[in-house]
Amino acid sequence: MSWDRADRDALCQLAVRLKIGENHLRDLMDWLEEIALRDQSEIHTLLRDKVITEIESDPRFGRADKLKRIKEQVRRVRFPRLAQTEDSIRARIQELKLHPEIKVTVPSGLEGGSLRVEFSASNREQLKNQVAKLAEAADKGSLQEIFALLAGRTTEGVL
Amino acid sequence: MQPFQPEEVIVEPGSESSPIYRNLKAALPQVPFIVMDEVALEHSHVDFSARDFGSAKKKLLLTRHKGEFLKKCPGSDGQVCCNYFVINFASNCSMDCSYCYLQEYLADNAALKVFSNVDDLLKEAEELLSKHRCFFFRIGTGEITDSLALDPYIGFAREVVPFFAEQPNVLLELKTKSDCVDGLLHLDPRERIVVSWSMNPQEVIDLDEHGTASLDKRIQAAHRCQKAGYRLGFHFDPMIEYPGWERDYERMLDQIFATVNWQRISWLSMGVLRGTPGLKRTMRDRFPRSQLLTGEQVLCPDGKLRYFQPLRVEMYRKMLGWIRRGAPTVKVYLCMESKEVWEQVFGFAPSCAKELGGELANFGF
């Protein structure tokens, strides 16, 4: 797809302001092109989206943080159902109310269909506690819903 | 389906005595045939590079195959494999699907080639099959070309089907997106030949399967083959996800099962759209408006982009439900998917390639 001048200028200005490196720029270009193709929209209009302009003008964020957030926002628009599924899983992990030392994550892109559980303990008692908390969490409905989401079964019409 | 009309046929010296040459001459009387050796070919105006993949399909090169014809299907790293063998009797394809992996796989060797030394192919197959009579082979010819699209011109099927039909330990699969089955109908397959179609709804065919037969024609061709005694296969691969895909795929399955006898179907396979990032770049160049580029695909551990797992598992599960409604016990397998995806779709995964290959061989009958 060839970019017209308004699209080129819009991305170029953003790239200069945020000093975007080559790899990030390539990701952004691909995603923006694909969104424009899918939604029959224009790239410069996508870059003028309220969420993006607010991130860019937010004085609380540094340059790297702005780039990270803008990239995440463009990714969310490019992969809306993936982002929604990830959000749903994240919300259910929160509902498990696990001890901060127990970390539950899902693979990037949700590929593999499994949860990763990490925890550490510095003595036997701690370990027993954490295992007990984990066993308690395993009985909760939220965990079942996480596995259902990973297996493409909708619990809230996510997919 | 678009008739094949090459600008010229370039013939390597020594190929003029082959049956394929004779068939081509008879089928394409208006096309110039140029005999040219390898050196002359290299210095000629003929450009077989991938610079213009589409142009490479407009010339046909008839040449001798120098290596082995029979190879084990490479599968994909870490994915469940179905223990399949392939015969490459030709290379590249006269049709032009926008998602075709050959655009990348044959990027450095894009010429549309047909190999003239069918006698060597049969000799090699005879040696392999007779040496391992206790092993049952599933062999396909549609790996780097379409098995039947060129058949009205080259007559390959009538050269090889009688041989494979006589073998006790093989199923030969002819896989196609064409309706070129006339050359098969007078042959006796003797339960050894499976003719299979790669299937997609007409909506996908119109947009991304350029030059192929329509859905109706593929189904009618399958029906004709079934009536002539052939076993059938259908490959729902690549399945494409788009708004309304469910309606179109369900309707397509209903149409298939209303036309053919599912009890004479050897196997069905499912696989979603997939390809490497390199293929995606090629698709962007060649088909920049294709909506296939906009799917929610993520990079998988085998280096291929696929729809993210929960989405594609849901697609497979829905397809399986529609298949089971029309063909309750037909064998269904997944192509190039992990054990985890198998588990999520079917509730089990084959323990090894041998197990899946063995099951598919059994279901051939």
Side-chain angles (χ1 to χ4, degrees):
Chain A
M1 186 192 285
S2 56
W3 288 40
D4 68 26
R5 188 171 188 100
D7 293 341
R8 275 203 313 265
D9 288 351
L11 185 65
C12 199
Q13 284 159 18
L14 184 73
V16 170
R17 285 195 298 268
L18 298 183
K19 296 185 183 166
I20 303 177
E22 193 184 332
N23 289 340
H24 288 308
L25 194 60
R26 195 178 303 128
D27 286 345
L28 279 171
M29 286 174 75
D30 285 352
W31 293 343
L32 288 165
E33 275 186 11
E34 289 160 6
I35 296 165
L37 175 63
R38 180 191 65 200
D39 299 347
Q40 308 289 306
S41 55
E42 289 167 316
I43 289 167
H44 65 272
T45 313
L46 296 169
L47 289 171
R48 276 206 306 264
D49 177 78
K50 194 167 166 258
V51 181
I52 291 178
T53 52
E54 278 178 3
I55 294 169
E56 217 206 327
S57 59
D58 195 322
R60 291 173 301 170
F61 305 138
R63 185 179 53 77
D65 212 9
K66 283 179 183 175
L67 172 59
K68 191 178 160 198
R69 283 164 191 263
I70 286 173
K71 216 179 147 187
E72 176 54 24
Q73 175 57 22
V74 176
R75 179 185 178 269
R76 293 181 70 83
V77 179
R78 172 64 185 83
F79 302 98
R81 286 167 300 174
L82 173 60
Q84 210 180 342
T85 311
E86 287 170 337
D87 287 350
S88 298
I89 291 173
R90 219 170 284 132
R92 281 161 181 79
I93 291 174
Q94 291 289 319
E95 284 169 15
L96 293 174
K97 293 193 170 58
L98 292 165
H99 190 274
E101 299 234 332
I102 303 176
K103 202 173 161 196
V104 177
T105 51
V106 285
S108 158
L110 305 180
E111 191 62 27
S114 57
L115 278 181
R116 185 180 175 89
V117 182
E118 290 171 86
F119 56 89
S120 57
S122 47
N123 58 50
R124 189 164 166 265
E125 213 48 45
Q126 264 184 16
L127 182 69
K128 280 174 76 177
N129 268 339
Q130 297 199 3
V131 170
K133 278 180 188 158
L134 207 54
E136 203 180 295
D139 289 332
K140 289 186 179 168
S142 305
L143 200 72
Q144 259 180 319
E145 287 173 12
I146 292 170
F147 284 116
L149 285 162
L150 286 171
R153 294 185 197 278
T154 55
T155 56
E156 290 178 346
V158 170
L159 297 178
Chain B
M1 188 185 161
Q2 277 171 13
F4 178 59
Q5 200 60 234
E7 290 165 359
E8 54 193 13
V9 177
I10 298 159
V11 182
E12 184 192 51
S15 290
E16 303 98 311
S17 58
S18 77
I20 303 291
Y21 176 85
R22 282 197 301 275
N23 297 337
L24 272 169
K25 279 292 264 185
L28 299 168
Q30 70 287 17
V31 174
F33 280 58
I34 301 162
V35 179
M36 200 183 280
D37 65 26
E38 260 180 78
V39 180
L41 191 58
E42 266 174 35
H43 293 93
S44 74
H45 64 288
V46 185
D47 183 5
F48 283 129
S49 72
R51 272 196 297 278
D52 187 353
F53 194 81
S55 296
K57 293 167 181 275
K58 291 178 186 154
K59 294 180 171 68
L60 180 67
L61 179 60
L62 183 65
T63 180
R64 291 179 66 79
H65 186 55
K66 276 100 187 170
E68 289 181 339
F69 278 99
L70 261 154
K71 293 185 175 75
K72 179 91 167 55
C73 173
S76 194
D77 281 352
Q79 311 300 301
V80 176
C81 163
C82 64
N83 218 14
Y84 195 67
F85 286 76
V86 293
I87 287 177
N88 296 327
F89 73 93
S91 177
N92 210 339
C93 176
S94 54
M95 300 179 283
D96 202 10
C97 298
S98 47
Y99 53 74
C100 181
Y101 82 103
L102 297 179
Q103 294 172 92
E104 188 188 22
Y105 188 73
L106 297 177
D108 298 325
N109 190 9
L112 174 55
K113 286 183 210 166
V114 175
F115 301 118
S116 57
N117 45 334
V118 183
D119 47 345
D120 290 340
L121 183 161
L122 294 177
K123 200 171 143 205
E124 196 183 317
E126 161 78 34
E127 276 170 17
L128 181 78
L129 296 174
S130 58
K131 195 172 163 191
H132 303 281
R133 284 291 184 217
C134 56
F135 185 83
F136 200 93
F137 290 85
R138 287 169 57 244
I139 301 177
T141 61
E143 180 79 0
I144 58 166
T145 190
D146 184 283
S147 295
L148 294 172
L150 292 177
D151 208 56
Y153 313 95
I154 63 175
F156 175 75
R158 69 170 175 266
E159 303 298 330
V160 299
V161 165
F163 166 80
F164 284 99
E166 292 290 329
Q167 305 303 311
N169 57 332
V170 71
L171 274 178
L172 178 71
E173 182 178 24
L174 304 171
K175 199 187 290 186
T176 187
K177 286 194 184 95
S178 79
D179 59 347
C180 304
V181 297
D182 287 349
L184 295 174
L185 302 179
H186 64 283
L187 305 171
D188 181 3
R190 302 181 62 158
E191 297 288 316
R192 288 286 176 266
I193 316 292
V194 177
V195 190
S196 68
W197 275 266
S198 172
M199 299 299 272
N200 255 317
Q202 190 59 46
E203 290 74 7
V204 175
I205 295 171
D206 289 341
L207 292 172
D208 288 296
E209 296 186 349
H210 314 288
T212 64
S214 69
L215 175 63
D216 286 348
K217 291 224 164 132
R218 290 184 212 182
I219 295 176
Q220 284 312 318
H223 182 54
R224 291 165 69 207
C225 283
Q226 195 168 57
K227 280 207 307 195
Y230 288 88
R231 310 284 313 200
L232 301 182
F234 292 100
H235 301 282
F236 305 107
D237 192 354
M239 284 166 55
I240 312 291
E241 200 266 347
Y242 56 92
W245 75 271
E246 291 104 326
R247 179 199 57 224
D248 296 343
Y249 278 80
E250 187 178 8
R251 195 181 294 159
M252 171 182 71
L253 285 165
D254 288 346
Q255 199 182 338
I256 292 169
F257 297 132
T259 312
V260 303
N261 174 7
W262 68 267
Q263 285 165 313
R264 296 268 307 156
I265 294 176
S266 290
W267 49 70
L268 304 180
S269 76
M270 301 189 287
V272 293
L273 177 69
R274 58 193 175 277
T276 62
L279 175 62
K280 194 169 178 184
R281 280 193 293 277
T282 304
M283 286 171 68
R284 277 167 173 272
D285 288 343
R286 296 196 64 224
F287 304 100
R289 307 303 307 173
S290 173
Q291 287 292 327
L292 300 185
L293 297 163
T294 70
E296 290 195 50
Q297 293 184 304
V298 297
L299 196 61
C300 297
D302 66 348
K304 292 194 173 76
L305 294 157
R306 291 180 179 82
Y307 300 127
F308 68 97
Q309 189 167 324
L311 177 60
R312 69 181 195 271
V313 167
E314 190 194 29
M315 291 173 71
Y316 289 140
R317 217 185 277 123
K318 282 182 177 169
M319 277 290 280
L320 189 61
W322 300 322
I323 289 169
R324 287 283 169 250
R325 197 174 62 199
T329 58
V330 74
K331 179 68 191 170
V332 185
Y333 68 96
L334 297 177
C335 190
M336 291 196 187
E337 282 293 2
S338 63
K339 283 195 169 189
E340 292 79 17
V341 171
W342 271 79
E343 291 277 0
Q344 288 177 334
V345 176
F346 296 109
F348 71 91
S351 56
C352 64
K354 224 173 172 181
E355 183 190 328
L356 177 60
E359 273 186 31
L360 290 170
N362 288 335
F363 269 86
F365 298 96

